[in-house]
Amino acid sequence: MAEIVSFGEPLVEFNAEAVGGPRSGALYSIGFGGDSSNFAIATARLDGRAGYLTRVGDDRFGRMLLDLWRDEGVDASRVATDPEHPTGLYFIVRDGSAAEFVYRRDGSAAAQLCPEHIPDGWVERARLLHVTGITQAIGRSACDAVFQAVERARAADTIVTYDPNIRPKLWPLHEARAVTRYTAAMCDVVMPNLEEGRLLTGRDDPYDIAMELLELGAPLAVLKMGSAGAVVASAADYTRVPALDVRAVDPTGAGDTFNAAFAVATVEGRSPAAAALLGSAAAAHVVQGLGAVNSIPQRRVADRLAGELSLSIA
Ligand code: KDG
């Protein structure tokens, strides 16, 4: 039975292997993405019992995703195939200084998700539900599904972790800010990155951001800061977790893997700081490879990296 569940939009990823516009002839690697699907795969690779819910199109990409979850050991038995709407995809274009996400996901199968698609007991029987702002941004009914799932989780004492994952291309900032602040107040753990923490709170310093996130109402705030590590804050504690010094190639999916490692360790009964340490270690592995999924580490690798990190603080 799935212990750690997530739902949202899976995407097929086309990731430029080099910087350059169409005339450069840069090649694109095909892979997979979608924050909630990345989370589920990372959970399974890190030895958590992962369950995933979505809708895919009745197309080649949808079938590729179904094969992926099966091969990765993610329970996708409740994923539906939508005969009318396609599977979404995105390109990571490296044309200028920064990588740009170009989406082809409007009207996708996953965007049709609604509260009725969440089976009875699916959230209630899990130990942890992970939800994200991207699922809220892809459509009104998917956003309703997030709220309903969170309410059901709270009623059943299922832990709720929340990554606001703000994507300004998907919804206006004022809306993203209002909805994600409201949702953060309903969750057990709110886990933005530093930039999102700044957007949500209007503060600059990690300590001030963490304190303001707690004031929203979540009992635990985890601020992911990439190469600067992470911050874990509650009313009683404020801990800084370091990061490994690695050569970053592509940050795509690193936050999702951090979240998954945090979820797996939390369900195992580890402290929030120890859970964030595993998150920081696992995320350091992801940034070293191209694509959201291929570089997600197996548990033994993440444990070894976490061991190196603990030595660096000892
Ligand atoms: O967190 C990584 C995701 O951003 C990527 O896989 C694509 O889900 C995605 C999105 O909507 O940006």
Side-chain angles (χ1 to χ4, degrees):
M1 197 190 67
E3 278 194 328
I4 299 178
V5 297
S6 60
F7 68 98
E9 178 158 30
L11 298 159
V12 172
E13 176 188 82
F14 294 87
N15 201 329
E17 288 179 1
V19 176
R23 276 171 291 175
S24 71
L27 299 177
Y28 280 71
S29 291
I30 187 167
F32 299 100
D35 63 344
S36 53
S37 169
N38 301 339
F39 173 89
I41 293 163
T43 296
R45 284 199 195 168
L46 295 167
D47 291 350
R49 283 195 275 159
Y52 188 56
L53 187 75
T54 188
R55 296 175 75 76
V56 293
D58 186 9
D59 49 36
R60 178 74 187 237
F61 290 157
R63 286 187 283 280
M64 280 165 44
L65 283 159
L66 289 167
D67 288 348
L68 171 74
W69 299 316
R70 188 201 54 225
D71 295 348
E72 294 284 346
V74 172
D75 177 357
S77 53
R78 309 308 291 256
V79 171
T81 297
D82 184 321
E84 281 158 33
H85 301 91
T87 307
L89 51 103
Y90 68 107
F91 296 81
I92 302 181
V93 178
R94 301 176 200 281
D95 201 355
S97 51
E100 189 192 344
F101 281 56
V102 179
Y103 297 121
R104 282 296 171 273
R105 66 196 303 179
D106 281 355
S108 70
Q112 316 307 314
L113 275 171
C114 63
E116 294 69 45
H117 291 144
I118 303 175
D120 285 345
W122 189 75
V123 168
E124 290 81 356
R125 282 197 290 270
R127 301 268 313 276
L128 188 148
L129 166 73
H130 179 69
V131 289
T132 90
I134 292 179
T135 311
Q136 293 175 304
I138 56 174
R140 185 66 187 272
S141 64
C143 188
D144 288 345
V146 170
F147 282 122
Q148 208 223 59
V150 170
E151 267 156 23
R152 280 166 49 179
R154 280 159 65 101
D157 278 337
T158 301
I159 300 165
V160 183
T161 55
Y162 176 50
D163 186 341
N165 242 345
I166 296 176
R167 295 286 181 275
K169 280 195 176 177
L170 298 182
W171 52 350
L173 216 48
H174 62 270
E175 219 176 289
R177 206 166 171 267
V179 172
T180 52
R181 282 174 66 94
Y182 184 83
T183 314
M186 301 168 71
C187 299
D188 296 295
V189 192
V190 57
M191 322 184 61
N193 66 24
L194 184 58
E195 199 187 321
E196 289 158 350
R198 288 184 172 137
L199 275 172
L200 283 176
T201 65
R203 303 298 192 123
D204 194 50
D205 180 73
Y207 179 83
D208 296 337
I209 295 169
M211 293 305 123
E212 183 110 5
L213 288 172
L214 293 177
E215 270 181 28
L216 289 179
L220 194 67
V222 178
L223 200 56
K224 293 169 285 183
M225 304 192 297
S227 59
V231 153
V232 181
S234 67
D237 277 313
Y238 180 84
T239 311
R240 278 198 86 127
V241 173
L244 286 163
D245 187 13
V246 294
R247 195 177 148 269
V249 171
D250 178 11
T252 311
D256 308 326
T257 291
F258 184 116
N259 299 338
F262 186 89
V264 169
T266 299
V267 164
E268 286 172 357
R270 298 213 197 174
S271 71
L277 189 90
L278 187 65
S280 179
H285 194 273
V286 175
V287 301
Q288 294 178 76
L290 199 69
V293 167
N294 284 345
S295 49
I296 297 173
Q298 299 290 340
R299 179 60 181 263
R300 67 189 150 70
V301 176
D303 276 342
R304 179 176 49 73
L305 294 173
E308 284 173 28
L309 251 190
S310 334
L311 286 178
S312 76
I313 24 182

